[in-house]
Amino acid sequence: MKNNIFSLKVLMVAGIASLILPLNSCDNQLDVTPYSYFTSANFFSNENEAYMATLGVYEIMSSLDTYGWNIPMIFDADTDILQNSGSSTVDWRTIAHYQGISQTNTFFDVWSQLYIGIDRANVVIEKIPQMELYKNGNQNQKDQLNRMLGEAKFLRGFYYSELVRLWGDVPFKTKSSQTGDNFKAGLVDRYEIYAQIIKDMQEAAMVLPEELPVDERINKWGAKAMLARVALFAGGYSLRADGTIQRPDNYREYYVLAQQEINDIMNANPFKLNPSYSKVFKNQCQHVLEPTENIFQVAFYNPAGSQGNASWIGYFNGPLTTNGLYAGTIGRSLVPKPFHSSFNSADQRRDFSIATYTINNLGNKIPLLSGRQDESWTVAKWSREYQTNSTLERSYTHINWVIMRYSDLLLMRAEVENELNDGPNTIAYDAINQVRRRGFGMDIPGSRINVTLGSQGTGYSSAATVVINISGGGGSDAAAAAVTMASGGRIGTIAMLRSGDGYTSAPTVTISSTDGKGSGATATATLLTKPTASQINLSGLNKANFLKAIQQERAWELSGEGMRRADLIRWGILADKITETNTAVKQIRSNYFYPSFGNFVSGKHELYPFPQNERDVNSSITRQNPNY
């Protein structure tokens, strides 16, 4: 089980400490005295107080305002692989559907929280070097304080990287807020900020421990991995103040930096892929810490079951589930059907990542395969069926949000090598093919299955009452359901909802019903032949086609994990992918729900508007982002 950095005691103490920390750098309280009591001599007197202050910097990530909901689940929609459901004026819909404006409250919520985190980091960075223990303590004390200093520098860099990713040029401050400061900071060019981000993360990596963490604190290799990501964003396309979408002239320098950081990690070899793709997310749902796969993650722990340090992972972005055997969900993260169709049918990631069904109060899967039901398919990775079903996780969950996995790093490595060598080399192919082989289940014994209807039986009330049970065979996750009925209560057709993985022999299939009606139906399971390595491994591609392969592989591997929209922007293809997806869904039906195409404006929606709350009190922000 995960060893949370946030226990109940730590949450209480860190919460108090966080209230003492400066709460604003450029927010809407600019005309009042800032909270700066933490800068006086009454704190940072010992190692524990320094640790609590450092946890206060981490704590910014652990709420619905940031990584428990807004940033990964609202700000990452709508794209070619994900969109939020419905049409209304609530922020989580208007932002996703490219209708957000500067007055949209959620923009300010995220903006202000990130700046609070930066100001807290600034305090830690300033105060730890002034501590007597930092100067004259024993070696262990100095090492621990240096680690905390590195954590604060890393987190400051990370929070700034998110602000730049979302808003472009932003106010920039590396000194904690003090009474009498001028808080009305103007916009600073993103590349000046990137320079500090890179410096912060490099300095952090020098003092962070190399050992794999036993909790969610960042280590040396995690800092280097995130620095590689920052470098790719700095070297990618972004919307500028003049309305153009450009990448910097020296973009290759950023790719070289990413390559250096990735090579350092690979030489140390601290990470590895879990052989089972599905197990990665089951472990997350069960709170099993897996630092070899999950490089950087946000800790969630909420003993009160309230909105505090908690997330909506698996509640907002899981299969629609009726309250009963499992806690109910709202299933708002939808998957456009063309993305489902883009997978190779043998790719085990498809059925595990996308729910073509809902889950009823008995825990049975109800297919969504007729009429317009394909517009209701959802993200499935964090399904209630994998969760603890604890009373404390009925709505808000304790599931960590993973910001970077090892497969993400491998795909970045493939992209960097392709770019710097003007085409894929052996390193690039090995990196992407590792991810593909895992996705097709090549590194675990057994395979997927198919279920074929035998006798149709008689007397069944409806397809919704039919339950197809699959047991044995050594595998897991396979699911089938009745779709249509024939006369006389016979089962007309069945469909595979998930083909599962790891089956070493054909499992037993039995058919029953939830209302006790019907009998005589039978079905048989058969093992599906795995693709060969030569069928899975990529080879023989030029630079352009290999980049397209990476872009597609990142979609298949990382769907629903909060980075797709950002990736499409840095590649300069967000508008193209929205147009392409709109064409694909309209070929399915003319009224397929996909509002993004009608709302999205290229040269505008690649960045968010500066929050009006901020501009009302900060006259130094003299312009708005383009076209807002």
Side-chain angles (χ1 to χ4, degrees), residues 332-394:
R332 300 302 193 188
S333 297
L334 305 183
V335 177
K337 186 176 182 178
F339 178 54
H340 181 276
S341 302
S342 72
F343 283 84
N344 184 311
S345 61
D347 191 332
Q348 295 178 354
R349 295 172 295 189
R350 184 192 70 180
D351 292 348
F352 188 82
S353 300
I354 303 170
T356 58
Y357 51 83
T358 61
I359 300 176
N360 69 11
N361 63 315
L362 300 176
N364 298 322
K365 295 177 178 63
I366 308 301
L368 299 172
L369 300 174
S370 60
R372 297 188 62 178
Q373 290 179 327
D374 54 11
E375 296 178 47
S376 301
W377 295 353
T378 63
V379 171
K381 290 177 175 177
W382 302 277
S383 175
R384 286 293 199 195
E385 59 193 312
Y386 312 130
Q387 296 179 32
T388 66
N389 215 22
S390 163
T391 56
L392 295 178
E393 295 189 87
R394 304 295 286 182

Side-chain angles (χ1 to χ4, degrees), residues 504-563:
T504 54
S505 62
T508 300
V509 183
T510 58
I511 298 178
S512 60
S513 64
T514 58
D515 60 3
K517 296 180 180 179
S519 62
T522 62
T524 304
T526 55
L527 299 178
L528 295 173
T529 302
K530 277 187 176 180
T532 65
S534 63
Q535 291 172 318
I536 294 170
N537 290 344
L538 299 181
S539 63
L541 300 176
N542 62 23
K543 180 182 178 181
N545 288 334
F546 190 79
L547 176 59
K548 290 180 181 178
I550 290 168
Q551 292 167 345
Q552 187 62 68
E553 199 67 40
R554 287 184 68 85
W556 293 327
E557 174 69 19
L558 304 171
S559 65
E561 297 183 47
M563 287 305 296

Side-chain angles (χ1 to χ4, degrees), residues 397-422:
T397 74
H398 306 168
I399 300 171
N400 284 358
W401 183 259
V402 178
I403 292 176
M404 181 180 287
R405 293 195 288 112
Y406 182 47
S407 56
D408 188 339
L409 186 67
L410 286 170
L411 293 174
M412 286 198 298
R413 187 181 209 196
E415 182 177 349
V416 166
E417 294 297 327
N418 183 58
E419 182 64 42
L420 293 179
N421 293 284
D422 292 319

Side-chain angles (χ1 to χ4, degrees), residues 176-208:
S176 65
S177 300
Q178 303 288 333
T179 302
D181 284 354
N182 176 16
F183 297 112
K184 296 182 179 181
L187 301 177
V188 175
D189 183 88
R190 68 200 67 181
Y191 286 96
E192 180 179 337
I193 301 174
Y194 271 131
Q196 182 65 47
I197 294 169
I198 292 167
K199 181 175 182 292
D200 277 346
M201 290 189 172
Q202 287 174 331
E203 292 180 357
M206 292 175 64
V207 296
L208 290 171

Side-chain angles (χ1 to χ4, degrees), residues 57 375 429 462:
V57 187
E375 296 178 47
Y429 278 123
S462 67

Side-chain angles (χ1 to χ4, degrees), residues 170-308:
V170 295
F172 179 54
K173 191 169 179 284
T174 57
K175 178 181 176 295
S176 65
S177 300
Q178 303 288 333
T179 302
D181 284 354
N182 176 16
F183 297 112
K184 296 182 179 181
L187 301 177
V188 175
D189 183 88
R190 68 200 67 181
Y191 286 96
E192 180 179 337
I193 301 174
Y194 271 131
Q196 182 65 47
I197 294 169
I198 292 167
K199 181 175 182 292
D200 277 346
M201 290 189 172
Q202 287 174 331
E203 292 180 357
M206 292 175 64
V207 296
L208 290 171
E210 296 186 10
E211 296 79 19
L212 288 175
V214 297
D215 53 25
E216 296 88 348
R217 297 172 74 182
I218 191 72
N219 74 344
K220 178 186 187 76
W221 311 117
K224 282 180 166 289
M226 290 302 297
L227 176 52
R229 174 184 284 178
V230 166
L232 288 188
F233 276 95
Y237 290 90
S238 61
L239 176 60
R240 307 304 178 88
D242 63 2
T244 62
I245 298 173
Q246 306 174 34
R247 70 192 313 180
D249 292 338
N250 65 335
Y251 75 91
R252 286 179 64 90
E253 294 177 14
Y254 293 106
Y255 277 79
V256 169
L257 173 60
Q259 182 186 54
Q260 292 169 344
E261 299 301 324
I262 294 171
N263 286 346
D264 284 351
I265 297 167
M266 297 305 177
N267 289 337
N269 196 31
F271 304 120
K272 62 181 180 181
L273 294 175
N274 186 319
S276 169
Y277 185 78
S278 63
K279 190 68 173 175
V280 172
F281 303 96
K282 291 176 182 177
N283 283 345
Q284 290 178 23
C285 290
Q286 292 290 317
H287 315 314
V288 175
L289 197 71
E290 192 175 6
T292 50
E293 169 87 30
N294 299 325
I295 294 174
F296 178 42
Q297 58 191 305
V298 180
F300 288 100
Y301 175 67
N302 184 22
S306 61
Q307 186 177 336

